Amino acid sequence: MGQGVLHYLRGYRLGLFAGLVALAALVAGLILRGMGPAAAASDGGPGGASGLGQSSGLLPTENLVLESALQVDLTHETVRLPLYKGTANGHTVWFILTESSDQGLAKNSGLNYAPKLANIANGCPDCVQTVTQEQPTPDQNKFGQAVIHFQGEPDFSPTRTLVPGPNGFPPASFSVGAVAGKGYSPFIRIEGTSVVYNAPIVATGDGPFDVVHHTNTGDRVLGIHIAPQAPPGQYFDSWVDLLLVKGFDAGQPILYLSTEADDPLASVLERSTYVPALARASYTGGDDFLGSARERLFGFINGQTGPNNRNAQGFVNIVEDGHASEDASAGNTALINGLRNGGDLLNVFGDFPTLKDPRHADAYSPLWDAQLGQWTQKAIDQGLNKRQIDENVVFNLAATRPDLLTGPGGAAYGTVGIDINCAVIGFTAKAPTANLVAPVPNSQFPPR
């Protein structure tokens, strides 16, 4: 996948990059089947922020899915997570924990339960790194996380760049800002155990930490606090503030993190670490089929744009209105406010932990298999390229209206072979509980 997303855009005319996400196409093509148009359940504000739910202040704890999160600050677009110490190649690294393949251990640690992660090494031993854990004495550790010894780590020293193209996307040029070193995967298994954890490394070294240009931190790290030694009988958290991503699931606005991707351009757009090995994670196009570790994510290439446009969404949107060419930092308020007000990718997720049907709730995985949609010129000309918020609506549209929505460059709709590690954090309006519409026959609905 050396050329990444651009491989799928060969021959695609830049003039088509004018609009996105056909929710109204559902009205035009599917309403006769008794389906109404999808719409976000709650407004977060005017224009592009409309439909994104709460957009400022602290997210209520009851809206968290990742229960270990210390806080979500929607004014500053950050989630604060506990930060844990490890080592790799003889020096200090710092990591977070977001998922476990074991339900009891996930609940115990306030993590997302993701049973599919048990399949991730299927055909790809490098997709999971076996780590070791220190066995400290009582004097060394009265109470707290034991140090984890990783085999590999990311290199955060490269400079992330993105130069917008004539129409924003595709970019004129780009370079990744973080690259996996030998042996690195965010998915770990402690030696002697079978449980898989999602444990992305987000910083290296003992500080000071560069949270502006990210020479020793991930590109979404906006703040780090290393706790001092606690007094007897007490415990202090170290923590990291990470830039959030907005999206949708089952018609509701959600929040998530993006930490790794197996494609160079996806890594730049997602501000994540490039981990080529994840391209072999079990398995491309697998979703809910036997042996798969993946779940599906639905993105749109040529979406509508504009900070005052409630239908803005997709690749062009984040480049033009999400300040994708700039470094993310707490001091870059223009970037933060651009994302907060709808300038994000606004991808649509598949299964989510709060869905009422256990079959779908337990099918959640943080490893998302990207399905990228491209609106046809017909969809754009007819104004049917509106913001999408529900996976079944997208399934139905792709199945019944290929004259409106295709894969990149007019290809058949479905996976493009790009994986992204995105842990869900919570929801900003109502919890996603069920899809907005039923799937039409022979759509790409998850198998029974």
Side-chain angles (χ1 to χ4, degrees):
M1 302 193 62
Q3 291 183 296
V5 177
L6 293 181
H7 170 77
Y8 301 97
L9 301 177
R10 287 176 179 167
Y12 184 68
R13 297 175 315 181
L14 292 174
L16 293 183
F17 287 97
L20 182 100
V21 186
L23 176 52
L26 180 64
V27 180
L30 301 180
I31 196 166
L32 295 178
R33 292 179 171 85
M35 305 175 194
S42 174
D43 282 351
S50 178
L52 298 181
Q54 182 183 343
S55 62
S56 62
L58 297 182
L59 186 72
T61 56
E62 58 266 28
N63 285 37
L64 289 174
V65 174
L66 184 63
E67 295 178 354
S68 59
L70 302 175
Q71 71 174 33
V72 172
D73 184 342
L74 295 170
T75 302
H76 298 99
E77 285 287 286
T78 58
V79 57
R80 180 168 293 176
L81 297 180
L83 188 64
Y84 302 108
K85 187 176 182 179
T87 67
N89 301 311
H91 61 260
T92 304
V93 299
W94 300 91
F95 67 98
I96 59 174
L97 287 168
T98 56
E99 276 85 18
S100 170
S101 63
D102 180 89
Q103 188 171 29
L105 294 176
K107 184 66 175 177
N108 180 64
S109 299
L111 307 180
N112 297 320
Y113 174 45
K116 282 183 178 178
L117 290 184
N119 293 329
I120 198 166
N122 175 17
C124 182
D126 292 342
C127 289
V128 178
Q129 62 168 315
T130 299
V131 302
T132 58
Q133 188 172 44
E134 282 190 358
Q135 300 298 316
T137 67
D139 288 337
Q140 292 171 328
N141 184 30
K142 292 296 183 185
F143 180 77
Q145 171 68 50
V147 173
I148 296 291
H149 300 294
F150 291 82
Q151 295 184 40
E153 63 184 309
D155 178 5
F156 295 121
S157 65
T159 300
R160 175 188 174 275
T161 66
L162 186 147
V163 178
N167 292 71
F169 186 91
S173 65
F174 65 92
S175 58
V176 297
V179 181
K182 182 179 179 181
Y184 177 70
S185 168
F187 302 106
I188 67 170
R189 181 185 292 118
I190 299 173
E191 188 176 52
T193 72
S194 60
V195 177
V196 175
Y197 292 92
N198 191 5
I201 293 175
V202 297
T204 58
D206 296 305
F209 296 103
D210 180 3
V211 294
V212 176
H213 300 299
H214 309 290
T215 55
N216 59 359
T217 65
D219 287 316
R220 289 188 174 272
V221 175
L222 303 192
I224 287 181
H225 167 74
I226 305 302
Q229 184 174 350
Q234 297 186 37
Y235 174 76
F236 293 160
D237 271 311
S238 294
W239 50 257
V240 58
D241 283 342
L242 294 156
L243 184 68
L244 287 165
V245 193
K246 286 180 162 65
F248 295 99
D249 191 283
Q252 295 296 333
I254 63 168
L255 302 170
Y256 63 98
L257 281 178
S258 184
T259 52
E260 284 84 16
D262 66 5
D263 176 88
L265 180 51
S267 297
V268 173
L269 291 172
E270 297 278 345
R271 302 181 185 273
S272 62
T273 299
Y274 175 39
V275 186
L278 293 182
R280 302 188 302 277
S282 181
Y283 50 88
T284 301
D287 190 39
D288 293 334
F289 287 94
L290 178 67
S292 176
R294 306 186 190 192
E295 182 52 36
R296 283 185 285 189
L297 171 152
F298 307 87
F300 299 86
I301 296 168
N302 54 333
Q304 292 188 30
T305 64
N308 296 314
N309 184 354
R310 67 178 295 138
N311 287 308
Q313 184 178 38
F315 287 19
V316 181
N317 184 51
I318 195 170
V319 172
E320 292 191 357
D321 300 316
H323 299 257
S325 62
E326 303 171 17
D327 285 332
S329 69
N332 190 344
T333 55
L335 179 149
I336 289 170
N337 287 331
L339 295 173
R340 190 164 66 89
N341 292 315
D344 219 328
L345 287 167
L346 303 178
N347 292 321
V348 178
F349 276 31
D351 291 324
F352 196 82
T354 61
L355 295 175
K356 285 187 176 179
D357 185 344
R359 170 177 167 251
H360 291 291
D362 291 347
Y364 164 77
S365 170
L367 188 64
W368 299 92
D369 191 351
Q371 329 279 300
L372 300 183
Q374 175 180 304
W375 294 104
T376 66
Q377 192 65 49
K378 178 180 179 179
I380 295 166
D381 291 344
Q382 294 184 10
L384 301 176
N385 55 324
K386 297 180 181 179
R387 182 184 289 173
Q388 292 290 341
I389 58 176
D390 181 86
E391 72 165 333
N392 280 6
V393 173
V394 179
F395 288 147
N396 293 351
L397 184 61
T400 64
R401 297 302 304 268
D403 58 322
L404 301 179
L405 183 67
T406 70
Y413 190 84
T415 182
V416 296
I418 294 172
D419 292 330
I420 310 165
N421 183 18
C422 298
V424 296
I425 302 300
F427 48 91
T428 56
K430 297 179 180 178
T433 56
N435 291 111
L436 300 181
V437 299
V440 298
N442 302 317
S443 67
Q444 294 181 12
F445 188 71
R448 287 183 168 80

